[in-house]
Amino acid sequence: MRKLQMKMSMSIDGFVGGPNGEKDWLFKTGDAQSKAWVVEQAWDAGLIIMGRKSFEVMAPYWPTSTDPSAAPMNEIPKGVFTQKGFKGIDLGNDQSPAATSWTNAKVFDGDLTEEIKKLKAGEGKPITAIGGAGFMRSLIATGLVDEFRLVIHPVVLGAGEPIFNGITIPLYLKLVDVKVFPGGTTVHTYGS
């Protein structure tokens, strides 16, 4: 059985995006060690899943990126979850292996809970969920997340997009690990 890991960056006050979805603060607070950790953790995934909106933003960016995270983002198989349909992504004439990994992403448009249960029932490396607040809230609501990797950035946004709002029953987690990086970013890993 595969484990489902959620990796999410957030501000000290619990927002994953600013009031208008801004994410520029993510790039102002990292350091070499925290970026190396992100790459190392990405390679641990056997499948990267995200919602349609995040997929549409990421797919054109990663195939030509020189960011150290580009290799795992382009090489690890991807899954895109949608409730509103998805016609695929057009990356023009780019036929590189990196682009192909995005255009060949598996589309999941059924019931989220059932689709996640099927994925987890398979064998292989963990499934890593990344992306936006809406998808993460839906994923948390399934109760199927095995591990929460919360990357806490040293910034207070004051308002924005939370992922833990709307929880109807307490979600009790066990702290598994804490990593502290020189720039002030910390990673809190919780098991469910």
Side-chain angles (χ1 to χ4, degrees), residues 117-138:
K117 284 180 181 178
K118 288 178 198 172
L119 284 173
K120 287 182 67 172
E123 295 296 320
K125 292 170 79 174
I127 302 157
T128 298
I130 62 172
F135 177 63
M136 292 305 186
R137 280 191 296 270
S138 296

Side-chain angles (χ1 to χ4, degrees), residues 17-191:
N20 298 308
E22 306 91 338
K23 299 208 186 302
D24 58 331
W25 52 274
L26 292 170
F27 306 104
K28 297 176 182 176
T29 56
D31 57 60
Q33 288 181 26
S34 65
K35 291 175 184 178
W37 178 88
V38 168
V39 174
E40 178 185 324
Q41 296 303 304
W43 282 118
D44 189 40
L47 176 68
I48 297 171
I49 62 171
M50 63 196 82
R52 177 190 51 82
K53 291 179 197 172
S54 293
F55 186 87
E56 289 174 345
V57 170
M58 291 185 194
Y61 172 77
W62 286 113
T64 58
S65 174
T66 57
D67 186 281
S69 293
M73 289 300 294
N74 289 326
E75 292 179 31
I76 297 169
K78 281 153 288 294
V80 57
F81 284 79
T82 181
Q83 295 177 332
K84 298 186 177 179
F86 182 70
K87 296 179 182 171
I89 195 82
D90 180 10
L91 296 179
N93 295 327
D94 190 346
Q95 299 297 316
S96 68
T100 301
S101 83
W102 288 90
T103 57
N104 288 341
K106 182 158 177 42
V107 177
F108 298 94
D109 56 7
D111 178 75
L112 178 62
T113 300
E114 292 307 312
E115 297 282 11
I116 294 295
K117 284 180 181 178
K118 288 178 198 172
L119 284 173
K120 287 182 67 172
E123 295 296 320
K125 292 170 79 174
I127 302 157
T128 298
I130 62 172
F135 177 63
M136 292 305 186
R137 280 191 296 270
S138 296
L139 201 57
I140 293 165
T142 69
L144 297 171
V145 177
D146 299 299
E147 187 175 89
F148 295 82
R149 292 179 178 181
L150 305 177
V151 182
I152 313 298
H153 292 259
V155 61
V156 175
L157 298 177
E161 302 173 327
I163 59 169
F164 291 109
N165 63 331
I167 301 293
T168 57
I169 57 172
L171 182 60
Y172 295 97
L173 304 173
K174 179 182 176 187
L175 182 63
V176 176
D177 188 44
V178 176
K179 295 212 179 309
V180 179
F181 297 104
T185 299
T186 61
V187 179
H188 297 224
T189 302
Y190 295 93

